[in-house]
Amino acid sequence: MSLDVAALRSDTPGVAHRVHLNNAGAGLMPRPVLDAMLGYLTREAEIGGYEAAAEAAGTLDGVYDSIARLLGAERDEIALTENATIAWQLAFYALAFRPGDRILTARAEYAANYVAFLQVARRTGAVIEVIPDDPNGVLDPEALAAMIDERVKLIAITWVPTNGGLRNPAAAVGRIARAHGVTYLLDACQAVGQMPARVDELGCDILSATGRKFLRGPRGTGFLYVRRDLLRDLEPPMIDHFAAPWIAPDRYELRRDARRFETWENNYAARLGLGRAVDYALALGLDAIETRCRALSARLRDGLRGVPSVAVHDLGPDPAAIVTISVGDHDPDAVKADLSRSGYNVSVSRPSSTLLDAQARRLPALLRASPHYYNTEDEIDRFVAALATLLSGRD
């Protein structure tokens, strides 16, 4: 199935103003997402917040079904959160660790996750160990398998790191985790929305993701998957009377579904936008989305390799749609600002976001360009030419 790029662009108001290559930061919302949110906010203003929620109750409840379809999960395994970090933290901090328990993670693990590992290690005496990479810089499943023993409490990796274009072998990790009965937590923030992400194929017990990136939903949305068999054993680190109804003066009872990780008050307009974004991606087909994302990012990498003073720092034989480059002696923040003034959106990825990987590869701050399916080949080529002209003018 091929995508009708012209129709998709007509659905995307933002493309009239910018060449948006910052989808790993936040994708441009399509019009149906925007309309769903604005329509709901209008009803809140017209009839009241509680009343608008009651009126849209069926549609709001359907968001769980949409995310379950996206992930190949059951609706009772899905929780909706304010963002992916909160989703990840609520699940991680619900796990119990003891002295000597081992947490296995990847070299390119995201900073927010790693500092949580460090805090839990300090509190509990658990230890953090990094799974070696293969010669291509990709997590090595054989090395992981060799590390497994009875003290391994958790395998927690980022599938597609924030920079480097890397795709870690999430499904291979899942097979190892299941074979040894080890809990597997997968950060899928940069993967969901640009490729299929089915938990039955990935073998993860827990998955966290965001709505704002390649799913093209609004900011302030995230979701959590927790496998039903594991859910029974997890009590969230914080609860309210929605997560755990108060049933007697001295007793509460946790919900039986993943919504034990939620709280009562929520941004319902954003939830509707998230649900519409998920439905939009499902209607297009994740396989078709992945095919186009791969083609555009490959075209971008090939073009950038021909620009003097640019070095591409992406890893692995099958990189994702996140392209990271250094720009010689030029200040990447200044280059980003110049590109913005010319109508191109990119971002800067700093070593602190993936500290272990940055130190191992001696990476400076990098420019990050992340195309999506609504970008055109012409936009890619114009961006490469604009960057080349800008850098040559600075030399």
Side-chain angles (χ1 to χ4, degrees):
M1 178 180 176
S2 60
L3 301 178
D4 185 342
V5 177
L8 294 169
R9 289 175 68 80
S10 71
D11 245 1
T12 307
V15 301
H17 311 288
R18 317 285 293 174
V19 175
H20 188 71
L21 298 174
N22 191 20
N23 294 284
L28 294 177
M29 288 188 291
R31 196 175 303 279
V33 172
L34 182 61
D35 289 346
M37 296 175 66
L38 292 177
Y40 183 84
L41 288 172
T42 298
R43 291 301 285 162
E44 279 198 346
E46 290 173 344
I47 66 173
Y50 284 25
E51 292 75 14
E55 182 179 81
T59 307
L60 287 163
D61 188 61
V63 177
Y64 295 93
D65 296 305
S66 296
I67 294 173
R69 285 195 299 274
L70 178 72
L71 299 179
E74 300 296 331
R75 60 176 279 128
D76 65 328
E77 298 175 312
I78 304 299
L80 303 180
T81 61
E82 297 91 329
N83 56 62
T85 299
I86 287 177
W88 189 98
Q89 289 173 336
L90 285 170
F92 173 69
Y93 283 102
L95 300 170
F97 294 92
R98 298 177 299 180
D101 283 346
R102 299 168 67 202
I103 300 170
L104 306 186
T105 191
R107 188 180 76 177
E109 190 67 2
Y110 188 52
N113 303 346
Y114 207 95
V115 296
F117 300 151
L118 290 170
Q119 184 185 55
V120 162
R122 181 180 298 173
R123 287 177 175 176
T124 68
V127 295
I128 311 161
E129 298 179 33
V130 177
I131 305 160
D133 293 331
D134 68 15
N136 292 315
V138 181
L139 183 150
D140 186 347
E142 292 185 4
L144 169 62
M147 297 174 74
I148 302 294
D149 64 16
E150 68 282 355
R151 293 192 300 116
V152 176
K153 178 72 173 182
L154 177 69
I155 300 170
I157 68 165
T158 297
W159 185 0
V160 176
T162 188
N163 58 31
L166 174 65
R167 296 176 189 236
N168 276 317
V173 172
R175 289 190 290 271
I176 294 167
R178 287 201 172 178
H180 295 277
V182 177
T183 300
Y184 175 26
L185 167 55
L186 182 63
D187 180 335
C189 275
Q190 301 285 15
V192 169
Q194 69 157 307
M195 62 186 72
R198 295 185 60 86
V199 293
D200 53 347
E201 298 171 359
L202 294 166
C204 57
D205 299 291
I206 306 167
L207 180 146
S208 62
T210 183
R212 79 175 193 269
K213 297 177 183 285
F214 289 95
L215 269 179
R216 304 179 63 194
R219 296 191 71 174
T221 57
F223 52 92
L224 176 69
Y225 157 81
V226 182
R227 182 172 54 83
R228 186 182 292 151
D229 291 344
L230 177 63
L231 184 62
R232 295 193 299 262
D233 301 325
L234 297 184
E235 179 160 337
M238 296 169 289
I239 55 175
D240 73 353
H241 60 300
F242 177 84
W246 191 18
I247 60 174
D250 62 348
R251 189 159 57 93
Y252 62 85
E253 186 173 284
L254 284 167
R255 291 181 61 115
R256 295 179 180 273
D257 58 14
R259 292 187 224 185
R260 64 176 56 185
F261 289 97
E262 296 185 12
T263 55
W264 183 81
E265 177 60 18
N266 295 285
N267 183 339
Y268 289 112
R271 282 191 171 192
L272 283 179
L274 171 64
R276 191 61 59 88
V278 171
D279 291 341
Y280 196 90
L282 288 169
L284 295 177
L286 273 300
D287 289 325
I289 289 172
E290 180 181 26
T291 297
R292 180 153 181 83
C293 285
R294 287 189 185 203
L296 290 173
S297 58
R299 187 185 189 99
L300 178 55
R301 286 187 185 91
D302 288 344
L304 289 170
R305 289 189 178 103
V307 177
S309 76
V310 165
V312 177
H313 293 278
D314 294 341
L315 295 169
D318 184 28
I322 299 176
V323 181
T324 39
I325 61 172
S326 57
V327 286
D329 294 330
H330 304 287
D331 177 2
D333 288 292
V335 173
K336 172 183 176 293
D338 286 345
L339 286 168
S340 180
R341 283 188 284 270
S342 299
Y344 298 93
N345 289 351
V346 295
S347 61
V348 175
S349 180
R350 305 189 188 285
S352 58
S353 64
T354 52
L355 187 63
L356 298 183
D357 181 57
Q359 289 182 341
R361 296 200 284 150
R362 299 180 180 179
L363 295 177
L366 301 172
L367 277 182
R368 184 180 72 175
S370 45
H372 210 354
Y373 57 78
Y374 56 78
N375 290 119
T376 66
E377 288 79 2
D378 178 64
E379 285 182 326
I380 299 298
D381 297 343
R382 285 192 286 119
F383 170 74
V384 171
L387 180 62
T389 299
L390 190 160
L391 295 179
S392 66
R394 285 173 162 269
D395 286 334

